[in-house]
């Protein structure tokens, strides 16, 4: 029972950790201009202040993003083709990773419930075993019942 409970807790934590990792990946790719953010922007989605011409010029020299709003792979013919493939794979990956995270958490919760149900079943069985119910057709005192263990010991040795 304790193993089920412990592993259930571990699965829930694993799912939560995985979910956090997916959000960090999404935020990292978003910062590179390669996808939507994993977490909503702070401040209710307000845009960053516009960069000055000098900041834009320096940014253009130090990054691959030569055009405002262009993806990191570029917006030429090859870049567009790459973008279509990349975005399809990325979006599918985000969806499957999110699904995996929720399923890990569901498994953990199910293991916790299983542990609880198992414990309740054991307690119920134990209470039934400890109950003394008189049996009018049998011995009312189990200690007065004849011993049958001698028959279970095996054949008598002569």
């Amino acid at each position: 029972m304790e193993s089920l409970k412990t592993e259930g807790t571990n699965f829930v934590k694993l799912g939560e950790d995985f979910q956090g990792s997916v959000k960090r990946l999404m935020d990292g790719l978003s910062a590179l201009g390669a996808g939507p953010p994993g977490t909503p922007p702070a401040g209710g989605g307000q845009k960053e202040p516009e960069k000055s011409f000098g900041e834009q010029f320096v940014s253009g020299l130090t990054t691959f993003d030569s055009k405002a709003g262009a993806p990191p792979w570029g917006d030429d013919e090859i870049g567009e083709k790459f973008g279509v493939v990349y975005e399809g794979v990325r979006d599918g990956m985000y969806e499957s990773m999110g699904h995996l995270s929720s399923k890990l958490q569901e498994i953990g919760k199910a293991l916790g419930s299983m542990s609880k149900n198992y414990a309740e079943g054991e307690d119920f069985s134990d209470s039934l075993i400890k109950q003394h119910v008189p049996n009018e057709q049998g011995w009312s005192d189990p200690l007065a019942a004849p011993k049958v263990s001698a028959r279970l010991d095996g054949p008598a040795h002569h």
Side-chain angles (χ1 to χ4, degrees):
M1 288 181 282
E2 285 304 310
S3 292
L4 285 172
K5 185 177 180 182
T6 299
E7 292 310 317
T9 301
N10 289 342
F11 261 89
V12 170
K13 181 159 178 23
L14 177 66
E16 290 169 348
D17 289 349
F18 188 73
Q19 186 177 30
S21 296
V22 170
K23 285 181 181 176
R24 284 191 301 280
L25 172 65
M26 291 176 74
D27 288 343
L29 289 173
S30 178
L32 296 171
T39 52
Q46 297 172 347
K47 293 185 177 181
E48 293 181 28
E50 214 169 299
K51 294 180 181 179
S52 70
F53 175 78
E55 289 171 324
Q56 291 177 17
F57 179 75
V58 170
S59 176
L61 292 175
T62 58
T63 67
F64 293 114
D65 189 2
S66 60
K67 295 182 179 179
W73 47 82
D75 60 356
D76 60 354
E77 185 179 341
I78 293 174
E80 285 180 15
K81 288 178 181 178
F82 173 83
V84 168
V85 173
Y86 167 80
E87 289 172 355
V89 170
R90 177 201 64 206
D91 294 347
M93 181 182 70
Y94 286 169
E95 185 177 329
S96 64
M97 289 189 312
H99 182 73
L100 176 60
S101 169
S102 67
K103 289 301 174 187
L104 288 170
Q105 292 178 58
E106 283 179 30
I107 290 169
K109 290 173 184 172
L111 288 172
S113 292
M114 189 185 299
S115 169
K116 181 181 175 213
N117 292 341
Y118 185 77
E120 289 172 357
E122 286 294 304
D123 290 345
F124 179 73
S125 296
D126 189 52
S127 70
L128 287 178
I129 290 170
K130 291 179 180 176
Q131 259 182 355
H132 176 71
V133 178
N135 182 351
E136 294 177 12
Q137 296 174 343
W139 297 89
S140 60
D141 181 3
L143 297 177
K147 304 288 185 221
V148 292
S149 61
R151 287 189 260 155
L152 300 176
D153 292 339
H157 297 286
H158 298 268

